[in-house]
Amino acid sequence: MSATSAHTTLPGDPPGGRRAVAVWSIGVSVYFVAVIFRTSLGVAGLDAAERFHVNASALSTFSILQLLVYAGMQIPVGLLVDRLGTKKVLTIGVVLFTAGQLGFAFSPSYGTALASRALLGCGDAMTFISVLRLGTRWFPARRGPLVAQLAGLAGMAGNLVSTLVLARLLHGVGWTPAFAGSAVAGAVVLVLVLLFLKDHPEGCEPEPFPHRGAAYVRRQIAASWREPGTRLGLWVHFTTQFPAMVFLLLWGLPFLVRAQGLSRATAGELLTLVVLSNMVIGLVYGQVVARHHAARLPLALGTVAATAVMWAATLACPADHAPMWLLLVLCVVLGACGPASMLGFDFARPANPPERQGTASGITNMGGFVASMTTLFAIGVLLDATGDDYTIAFSAVFVLQALGVSQILRLRGRAARRERERLVASRVETVHVPA
């Protein structure tokens, strides 16, 4: 029995169906475009360094600031979705990230480009939690895990478009036309949201959300944080997501071109392999966890171990460049990081009642982005300090993995006990509900 199955018989459970798929697909399309914009710097890192005449530390600041804004917005966005509804929050998000992408296209200086990426990060932060909430409003609770995994796959499809399409546009038509042209996608999804998106089906309106002031907000956050499952979800997300995020968002292309001597075309193909691997492994992980709920933690820790082993083998390779087969395996393993990070939500979800799901999801989603931000900064600083020694710089990955694993091991027992208690209580409650 999954953690969500206990809620499948509640009155008012959304019916799903074709209309649900159509409305939810609009929300997913917003997330899809947001990921294209978020990861666009990953294929333009070298071009950005030349355009704005910056070193590695300054280059990493683009992504660090974007992720800092993203991570800092997660809890407020969760509260906003509960208060304003999905449509309003997604509308604000689309306007902000499209404006950020346009600003980045026309930025004449490093400072204005930084401001544009911050604006983009603010809008991007409003998308994923909104899409998760949209899924719970339109689909039966038993479909929740599948809907969340499919949303994650849509995000990786956006990453794929960034690495395949935007990279070619960038080197074909130049910086400003490529980034400004991609912003058209933001205008398209904005029209779709305004015309067709609805927060919930007719007859499934949520109870009014009363405004209870700052004290209520603090209690919501504190209550979510006290749950071991929420903290375990955060640390699972923290430990699993960042190696692939850092690789795809900024440092993968410079590492493959400058440290491994590959052409930009070959490096782009390896980045694409990470995304394709992510999509395939995401389907596998989703099916495994649906059938074997206890597989969540072994999958997460196994992904961390495999990632650490492959990075160690690549960085410790005695030759000047790692062999292609090793880089291929590394990229396939990095593809597992995204699906493993989604397991964090499977720990936070059963630990919190429905009225705290948005807040708990926001806390969990902060984990990987805080880790990514920290690693992006550390790699940039170490590259400048060591004269572009990628072996030393990428060793920062192991430090954060060790920190995350220590916290996962510390919290796993308490989280498991608390989840069992909630499951027993849910079964007892279901037995006493009259037919």
Side-chain angles (χ1 to χ4, degrees), residues 90-116:
L90 279 179
T91 300
I92 296 170
V94 174
V95 170
L96 291 177
F97 69 59
T98 303
Q101 188 77 341
L102 273 174
F104 198 57
F106 293 101
S107 291
S109 66
Y110 177 66
T112 55
L114 272 180
S116 298

Side-chain angles (χ1 to χ4, degrees), residues 26 87 94 184-197:
I26 296 172
K87 181 170 184 173
V94 174
V184 174
V188 172
V189 294
L190 177 60
V191 172
L192 293 175
V193 169
L194 291 174
L195 293 181
F196 302 112
L197 190 99

